[in-house]
Amino acid sequence: MRRSNRGTVSGFFLAGRTMIWLPVGASLFVSNIGSEHFIGLAGSGAAGGIGVGAWEFNALMLLQLLGWIFVPVYIACGTTTMPQWLRKRFGGQRLRVMFAVLSLVLYVMIKLSVNLYSGALFIEQSLGWNMYLSIAILLILTAIVTITGGLAAVIYTDTLQAVLMVLGAVALMIVSMIRVGGWGGLREQFMQAMPNITKDYIHAQQFNLSMDNYTEQYGKCGIPSDDSFIMLREVNDPQMPWLGFLLGQTPASIWYWCTDQVIVQRALAAKNLDHARGATLMAGFIKILPMFMMVVPGMVSRILFPNQVACADPATCLEVCGNAHGCTNIAYPKLVLGVMPVGARGIMMAVMVAALMSDLDSIYNSASTIFTIDIWQRMRPRAGNRELMIVGRVIMLILTVVSILWVPILMASSGAQLFIYIQEICDYLVPAIAAIFLVGVFWRRCNEMGAFWGLMGGVVIGLVRTILVFLYEGVRCGDHAEVEPPGFVSLHYMYYALIIFVSTIILTVVISLLTQPLPEYFTVRTTYWTYMNGSIRDDDVKMWNKLEQLQEEEGAKDDKIQDDEVVMVENEQPWYKRLFVWYCGFNEKTKEPVEKPDDFKARLRTLEQKPLIRVLLNVLLVCILSIGIFCYVYFSVRP
């Protein structure tokens, strides 16, 4: 961790680009698998079967899209954040700032608040603590790691947490599967896992008996779907339409795995392209596991605790978990408390806390990276290294406060399935981002005007649907809407994501063709076709000249001020201030290296591959893609 120079921007935010494939691959995995996955995947598994596992098999393939298509471009153009790539590819600042702001909003809505809520929910169910007390404790634990060491500390702790998470989750999976008699027992018993009110409803239906209005209204809501063991289902299926998932959900997943700062930042910390691709392969192979160690245990939880996990009527659900829409979100903690011995429960608590911390520290580090480099440096271009480090830490605190304030809104709007809430919000706001990155990487004629207005149009289309979804709150099973929503609000969110994705591409292409093309240097090392281009970019020369001028004007003055501050810190300030300075890494007498126009040559050398290593990586690529396709087909074919 010391090698990464946590007192510099590149050290704190990119671990000095010195990491090997093993910790980077582990970090890619655990940065994705937070407490919302344990709560969300298990909850959706309990509610609807194995269909939710499709996201995990999709991820193991899209990780390779990151490693083989996007990472070479990002490394070649020297980007630290995704908004930086937008500036280098298209020029200007408005696209960069818009993307940065949108990313921070998404982090609050679907990352930080969701992780805090899901982690606190587990602690609340396990220990009976108040939810907001649980959130406070989790935040303190996470801050100790994140604020202190930056990305290097995050990646090293992620490696340990990955081992802890996998071992703990696999142990629970084995114990729970033994309880239900293996896969065959799971298939048989899951279809019979119904709460008492549903059993009464079915019994009355079978024998033509009378039933009270309450049972008649809500009894049918606890019946498992006939397609519970089918992953990709009919095109009009309300949960997992195969066409909507492959064409509509995939663009949103491309945003997450190929253009989201949290994930890409880990891949960019690798020392070269071989290690980056090795990391995506490693993470891809591990992504096979969540289907079995999270979704399946959620289904077992429904079998063992049908009246709590699968509650069908609002009165019972409110009593069990405080959510009238349903209690499937408690499936995982309920299983841990119900089947694990006392000592093992503590281990599983550590697993959940590790999952939460790994996800939170990754999000905090990436969010502070985006704000510091893409927003703060734009407002204060002469900000020194120490100022940027302080701002990076302060923005973490601000995002934390905003995320806590969003938690009550999340609790009111997420319904019974937390994981589906995440995916639905993503599908309204991020397909436009995926479209811009794909078009920008593969089509050299795309210009800033087309990209900006294409992104703006796609985001507006998504925001309209998002606002209407919040206005027309989801109606739980058995109830009727007081006001029928407009037709397009009822359209499945995956198909709506497809509309946003296609509309964004059409807007981008049409406007680009109708406006002036960008100067040729904007495509140098910023597209898949030109990432090995050895030309010096005109904008790099201009930036270097500007930095050189600033250094001549203020360099000596800044050095003197910083040296004086260090002396004051070391000799005059109280011990607790010196401890704070050391804790945050401000006392390191290191400066952020300024890249020269021809420094790209060193980056291009990291993209060179040895023939044997390249062949090995490509063979593993074919293996992981084959596994993903096989899993899709195997779990989607009716027996």
Side-chain angles (χ1 to χ4, degrees):
M1 186 166 71
R2 297 293 302 176
R3 287 182 60 195
S4 68
N5 286 334
R6 66 193 180 105
T8 67
V9 175
S10 61
F12 185 78
F13 294 129
L14 284 181
R17 300 183 191 266
T18 59
M19 309 301 291
I20 63 172
W21 63 273
L22 181 61
V24 174
S27 187
L28 283 171
F29 174 71
V30 297
S31 296
N32 166 244
I33 300 295
S35 56
E36 88 284 358
H37 266 67
F38 284 92
I39 297 295
L41 283 178
S44 293
I50 68 172
V52 71
W55 272 277
E56 301 307 300
F57 297 144
N58 197 32
L60 67 86
M61 293 189 281
L62 292 182
L63 269 164
Q64 313 324 314
L65 182 67
L66 169 66
W68 264 258
I69 301 296
F70 285 92
V71 163
V73 176
Y74 296 150
I75 293 176
C77 69
T79 187
T80 302
T81 68
M82 298 302 94
Q84 266 189 331
W85 177 83
L86 291 171
R87 183 191 62 79
K88 291 192 174 188
R89 172 63 180 87
F90 299 109
Q93 293 290 346
R94 59 180 182 174
L95 193 59
R96 176 185 186 179
V97 172
M98 180 183 176
F99 179 85
V101 172
L102 183 59
S103 296
L104 294 177
V105 170
L106 286 166
Y107 286 175
V108 170
M109 291 182 65
I110 62 172
K111 288 180 178 285
L112 292 173
S113 58
V114 168
N115 272 276
L116 292 173
Y117 168 65
S118 57
L121 178 65
F122 185 89
I123 294 177
E124 182 185 46
Q125 289 290 320
S126 303
L127 303 178
W129 293 0
N130 176 270
M131 176 163 291
Y132 289 97
L133 172 62
S134 304
I135 288 175
I137 293 173
L138 292 170
L139 286 172
I140 292 171
L141 293 173
T142 305
I144 292 174
V145 173
T146 309
I147 296 178
T148 307
L151 186 60
V154 170
I155 289 180
Y156 285 127
T157 54
D158 281 353
T159 305
L160 297 176
Q161 289 163 352
V163 176
L164 182 61
M165 276 194 287
V166 170
L167 292 179
V170 169
L172 179 62
M173 176 194 71
I174 293 173
V175 172
S176 61
M177 288 298 283
I178 291 174
R179 289 286 295 269
V180 298
W183 185 257
L186 177 71
R187 292 184 65 98
E188 178 182 351
Q189 297 178 53
F190 184 81
M191 302 307 296
Q192 301 170 4
M194 293 173 281
N196 289 335
I197 189 174
T198 301
K199 292 178 180 178
D200 293 341
Y201 173 83
I202 293 176
H203 180 75
Q205 288 280 337
Q206 287 177 339
F207 296 99
N208 294 320
L209 302 177
S210 62
M211 67 184 90
D212 59 81
N213 293 334
Y214 193 79
T215 301
E216 186 175 7
Q217 182 177 1
Y218 295 109
K220 60 181 178 294
C221 299
I223 301 175
S225 169
D226 292 336
D227 291 331
S228 295
F229 287 86
I230 302 296
M231 183 167 288
L232 298 180
R233 304 165 187 172
E234 301 295 331
V235 293
N236 59 347
D237 186 85
Q239 294 182 351
M240 285 296 298
W242 70 267
L243 186 62
F245 184 85
L246 295 180
L247 299 183
Q249 182 58 48
T250 296
S253 298
I254 290 175
W255 162 78
Y256 183 87
W257 290 108
C258 301
T259 72
D260 180 35
Q261 185 69 25
V262 173
I263 298 299
V264 176
Q265 190 171 346
R266 272 106 198 109
L268 294 181
K271 62 195 300 184
N272 57 41
L273 182 60
D274 286 337
H275 284 275
R277 287 179 172 173
T280 61
L281 285 167
M282 173 186 169
F285 281 110
I286 304 177
K287 285 294 285 181
I288 300 172
L289 297 178
M291 161 68 185
F292 305 100
M293 67 183 194
M294 295 176 193
V295 179
V296 169
M299 300 172 70
V300 173
S301 185
R302 178 183 179 126
I303 294 172
L304 299 179
F305 313 102
N307 289 311
Q308 292 83 35
V309 174
C311 62
D313 62 292
T316 303
C317 292
L318 280 171
E319 182 181 350
V320 170
C321 66
N323 186 346
H325 287 269
C327 292
T328 54
N329 285 333
I330 71 169
Y332 203 84
K334 193 72 178 176
L335 186 67
V336 171
L337 297 174
V339 304
M340 300 295 279
V342 176
R345 293 177 191 173
I347 297 176
M348 290 308 300
M349 175 69 73
V351 169
M352 290 298 298
V353 173
L356 175 71
M357 288 179 59
S358 65
D359 218 8
L360 282 179
D361 60 25
S362 299
I363 298 165
Y364 279 132
N365 190 271
S366 298
S368 62
T369 304
I370 290 177
F371 183 85
T372 301
I373 293 176
D374 297 300
I375 297 178
W376 190 259
Q377 273 194 327
R378 173 167 167 76
M379 296 188 298
R380 289 182 53 81
R382 300 192 181 202
N385 195 60
R386 180 167 175 169
E387 178 182 334
L388 295 177
M389 293 296 96
I390 294 174
V391 169
R393 273 101 171 170
V394 170
I395 192 62
M396 295 181 189
L397 299 178
I398 296 174
L399 289 174
T400 297
V401 173
V402 176
S403 299
I404 292 174
L405 294 176
W406 186 259
V407 168
I409 301 174
L410 168 67
M411 294 171 63
S413 60
S414 61
Q417 296 190 54
L418 183 65
F419 191 80
I420 300 303
Y421 160 82
I422 300 171
Q423 304 307 325
E424 187 170 356
I425 298 300
C426 279
D427 281 9
Y428 299 150
L429 299 179
V430 304
I433 299 175
I436 295 303
F437 272 78
L438 286 170
V439 173
V441 164
F442 286 109
W443 189 43
R444 298 172 62 179
R445 179 60 177 80
C446 182
N447 62 16
E448 192 272 346
M449 190 74 72
F452 177 79
W453 290 110
L455 179 60
M456 182 69 75
V459 170
V460 168
I461 296 172
L463 280 175
V464 170
R465 171 72 179 250
T466 304
I467 294 171
L468 289 175
V469 165
F470 277 103
L471 291 177
Y472 294 95
E473 186 178 353
V475 179
R476 64 158 289 120
C477 176
D479 292 339
H480 300 284
E482 296 181 3
V483 180
E484 287 295 328
F488 76 96
V489 175
S490 303
L491 179 67
H492 197 285
Y493 65 90
M494 293 182 187
Y495 290 117
Y496 198 84
L498 176 60
I499 293 173
I500 297 172
F501 182 68
V502 173
S503 299
T504 302
I505 291 178
I506 292 174
L507 274 173
T508 302
V509 171
V510 170
I511 296 175
S512 293
L513 292 175
L514 294 176
T515 53
Q516 291 294 322
L518 291 169
E520 189 66 25
Y521 70 83
F522 279 108
T523 60
V524 172
R525 293 186 298 281
T526 56
T527 73
Y528 180 73
W529 316 112
T530 61
Y531 72 81
M532 290 299 289
N533 191 311
S535 305
I536 295 178
R537 292 170 56 105
D538 292 351
D539 58 341
D540 286 344
V541 175
K542 293 176 183 177
M543 181 63 70
W544 168 250
N545 291 335
K546 183 178 179 180
L547 291 173
E548 212 172 30
Q549 182 180 356
L550 288 174
Q551 286 179 338
E552 290 176 359
E553 293 175 355
E554 300 187 1
K557 179 181 176 182
D558 289 345
D559 288 344
K560 185 178 185 305
I561 291 175
Q562 289 180 5
D563 290 342
D564 290 344
E565 288 176 345
V566 171
V567 171
M568 288 178 62
V569 167
E570 293 178 349
N571 298 332
E572 298 179 13
Q573 292 188 351
W575 66 269
Y576 56 86
K577 288 189 177 181
R578 296 201 303 272
L579 177 63
F580 174 77
V581 169
W582 168 83
Y583 175 74
C584 291
F586 298 147
N587 64 330
E588 298 187 23
K589 300 178 182 179
T590 53
K591 289 188 175 183
E592 186 67 26
V594 178
E595 189 174 83
K596 298 178 181 179
D598 60 351
D599 281 354
F600 69 86
K601 296 177 182 177
R603 294 198 305 270
L604 294 185
R605 285 194 292 271
T606 67
L607 299 177
E608 297 174 356
Q609 296 180 279
K610 296 180 180 179
L612 182 60
I613 298 298
R614 182 171 60 249
V615 171
L616 175 61
L617 291 173
N618 287 336
V619 169
L620 292 174
L621 172 66
V622 173
C623 290
I624 192 67
L625 294 180
S626 300
I627 291 173
I629 294 172
F630 170 79
C631 289
Y632 268 144
V633 174
Y634 180 81
F635 288 107
S636 299
V637 175
R638 296 182 182 275

